[in-house]
Amino acid sequence: KDKKKLIIFSFFFFSLIISYILGENSTGGAENDYLATKKFLDIFTLDLVEGFNLFIDQGQVHFPFFYILIANANKLLGKIFVDCAYITISSFIPLVFYEILKKKFLNADPEKLFILSLVIFLSPNFRSSAVWVTTDNLALFFFILSVYNFVIFENLKGNYLKYIYFTFFFLILASYIRHYYAIFFIFYFLYLQNKINYIKNFKILLFNLILSIPALIYVYFWITKKEFQAFDILSIDFVYNFLVFTSLYLFYFLPFILNKKFFSKFVNEIKYRKIILILILSLFILLFIIYETPYMEFGGGIFYKISQLTNSKFFIIFSLLGLLSLIFFNNISFRNYLIFSIFIFAFPFEIIFQKYFDPLIIVVCLSL
């Protein structure tokens, strides 16, 4: 069985090598992202301070640490070696995900869990990031290591605090590369409140603060270098964010939804949740009547694009189906709805690309 797994995994791994040779760009934007940020790699190779200045002057909202790392690695080891190393690191993401699934679903067939973990290799964002060495995969790699340590802590009886420190350590590393991962701190920290005492809570907060010092220094440097403008949270259309998330939830979990077991459960749940169903339908009827779906040339996800080809109002229907699936397929718990809220508020951007959720939504919903 292990030999079979090795052969299957090797097939997917070498598919990334072939994609690297052919320059696969299945998201459509990874190559452009690489070309647009190559100037940062070049400048950080020559001068760190000038690199910081250029990064801020160009209006980059991400942290520059990934580009500093890759620039120096290219300088020391050569670009081809770093590219191959990045493909290898990316390939560990499905393996760690497999280990998480085994710990989460103890009664499931490991063979099926292994096949399920390999779905990540089919993610266009995962493949494109591996080929073009963009920030996405390294951030996801650190985040999935964070989730792995959290799941270990959650499953073990007793106070295994070291796994919590590893959880936050890898989360901070992920946040240094893609800052929106930092919002998962809320989930971890709230989970701990009935698990550990105040002293240990304080130590964990101090640990996070110390590891965040380089980021805080950079933010101070950014504010002093560039005229600071307060972020207007009221300008963000979180209704649109909500519709994007629920529609993408529907898309990624269609294989779990389109089966007899789910439909029988759905029918049974309706009997007990008639009031919730009426409220949801009333809300979406109201949205359908009064809400104007914004027109975006980019982003929005697959169902948003389909709706643009037909009628933009269909996007609300897709989102309705996604929300119904989300509510009736998952347990009603504070934990679950906190995770879903994090997905909605993690991307306070005017343009929301599907790649932000791909394959993150699968990893999070099947682990946390």
Side-chain angles (χ1 to χ4, degrees):
K1 291 182 178 179
D2 290 339
K3 185 178 180 180
K4 186 196 301 182
K5 289 178 183 177
L6 180 61
I7 292 172
I8 296 172
F9 178 81
S10 298
F11 169 80
F12 281 101
F13 173 78
F14 283 108
S15 76
L16 290 181
I17 300 295
I18 294 172
S19 295
Y20 175 73
I21 295 171
L22 299 177
E24 179 185 337
N25 184 28
S26 46
T27 60
E31 183 178 5
N32 291 335
D33 289 343
Y34 168 76
L35 294 175
T37 57
K38 187 177 182 299
K39 58 191 172 188
F40 302 129
L41 296 176
D42 295 337
I43 193 69
F44 277 124
T45 303
L46 301 173
D47 190 284
L48 184 64
V49 175
E50 286 300 317
F52 276 120
N53 290 332
L54 178 65
F55 203 80
I56 294 172
D57 290 339
Q58 293 287 317
Q60 297 296 312
V61 295
H62 297 299
F63 290 123
F65 303 106
F66 174 82
Y67 303 101
I68 296 172
L69 173 66
I70 298 299
N72 285 281
N74 286 342
K75 186 177 180 180
L76 292 173
L77 303 171
K79 185 180 183 305
I80 293 179
F81 180 88
V82 172
D83 290 352
C84 292
Y86 199 72
I87 290 174
T88 305
I89 291 172
S90 298
S91 298
F92 276 102
I93 294 174
L95 292 179
V96 179
F97 186 43
Y98 173 51
E99 293 299 319
I100 292 172
L101 293 176
K102 286 196 297 182
K103 295 182 185 304
K104 288 291 293 187
F105 304 101
L106 298 175
N107 298 322
D109 182 358
E111 300 291 310
K112 293 181 179 179
L113 296 180
F114 178 70
I115 297 299
L116 179 58
S117 69
L118 297 179
V119 168
I120 291 180
F121 276 109
L122 304 181
S123 158
N125 187 48
F126 170 82
R127 299 186 65 82
S128 298
S129 179
V131 168
W132 293 100
V133 194
T134 63
T135 58
D136 307 83
N137 277 8
L138 189 58
L140 180 61
F141 175 66
F142 287 135
F143 177 71
I144 206 168
L145 287 175
S146 171
V147 173
Y148 173 75
N149 281 278
F150 175 80
V151 169
I152 292 178
F153 174 82
E154 191 177 25
N155 289 347
L156 291 176
K157 294 182 179 179
N159 187 10
Y160 295 87
L161 205 59
K162 69 175 183 179
Y163 292 110
I164 281 298
Y165 281 107
F166 279 127
T167 295
F168 284 108
F169 173 72
F170 286 117
L171 179 66
I172 289 172
L173 291 183
S175 303
Y176 270 111
I177 299 171
R178 304 290 291 186
H179 61 274
Y180 50 73
Y181 281 103
I183 197 171
F184 283 94
F185 172 87
I186 299 172
F187 170 78
Y188 288 148
F189 189 71
L190 290 179
Y191 176 85
L192 287 178
Q193 295 317 295
N194 61 347
K195 304 291 182 182
I196 59 177
N197 59 36
Y198 293 111
I199 296 176
K200 290 176 180 176
N201 253 318
F202 175 76
K203 290 180 179 179
I204 288 172
L205 285 173
L206 184 62
F207 174 78
N208 279 274
L209 178 62
I210 292 172
L211 291 185
S212 301
I213 288 175
L216 296 173
I217 292 174
Y218 174 76
V219 170
Y220 174 79
F221 181 73
W222 187 89
I223 292 174
T224 55
K225 178 79 169 78
K226 196 176 182 67
E227 182 181 352
F228 180 71
Q229 295 179 347
F231 180 66
D232 187 5
I233 194 72
L234 297 177
S235 66
I236 302 300
D237 186 353
F238 282 105
V239 174
Y240 175 67
N241 288 28
F242 170 76
L243 295 175
V244 170
F245 165 67
T246 50
S247 69
L248 288 177
Y249 181 90
L250 174 67
F251 173 72
Y252 283 107
F253 284 87
L254 275 176
F256 296 92
I257 295 168
L258 297 179
N259 60 76
K260 292 181 181 179
K261 185 177 180 180
F262 173 78
F263 281 111
S264 62
K265 181 182 178 182
F266 184 76
V267 172
N268 290 329
E269 289 290 332
I270 288 176
K271 297 176 182 178
Y272 299 104
R273 302 190 196 178
K274 290 180 180 178
I275 296 177
I276 296 177
L277 180 61
I278 293 171
L279 289 174
I280 292 173
L281 290 176
S282 301
L283 172 65
F284 272 83
I285 290 172
L286 190 63
L287 280 176
F288 197 87
I289 295 172
I290 67 173
Y291 182 72
E292 284 296 326
T293 307
Y295 176 80
M296 299 288 181
E297 184 179 358
F298 302 105
I302 183 169
F303 288 131
Y304 179 77
K305 296 299 185 187
I306 292 173
S307 302
Q308 281 186 320
L309 295 175
T310 52
N311 188 318
S312 61
K313 291 290 185 179
F314 287 156
F315 182 53
I316 297 176
I317 297 176
F318 285 123
S319 299
L320 168 62
L321 295 174
L323 181 62
L324 291 175
S325 303
L326 186 150
I327 290 177
F328 289 101
F329 193 59
N330 295 280
N331 294 329
I332 294 180
S333 67
F334 174 77
R335 172 180 176 144
N336 282 349
Y337 289 108
L338 176 61
I339 289 290
F340 301 142
S341 299
I342 284 173
F343 271 116
I344 294 168
F345 290 99
F347 310 107
F349 315 130
E350 183 180 355
I351 300 175
I352 304 175
F353 292 102
Q354 183 164 335
K355 77 166 194 167
Y356 297 153
F357 298 89
D358 175 30
L360 179 63
I361 192 172
I362 296 174
V363 170
V364 170
C365 289
L366 293 181
S367 60
L368 297 181

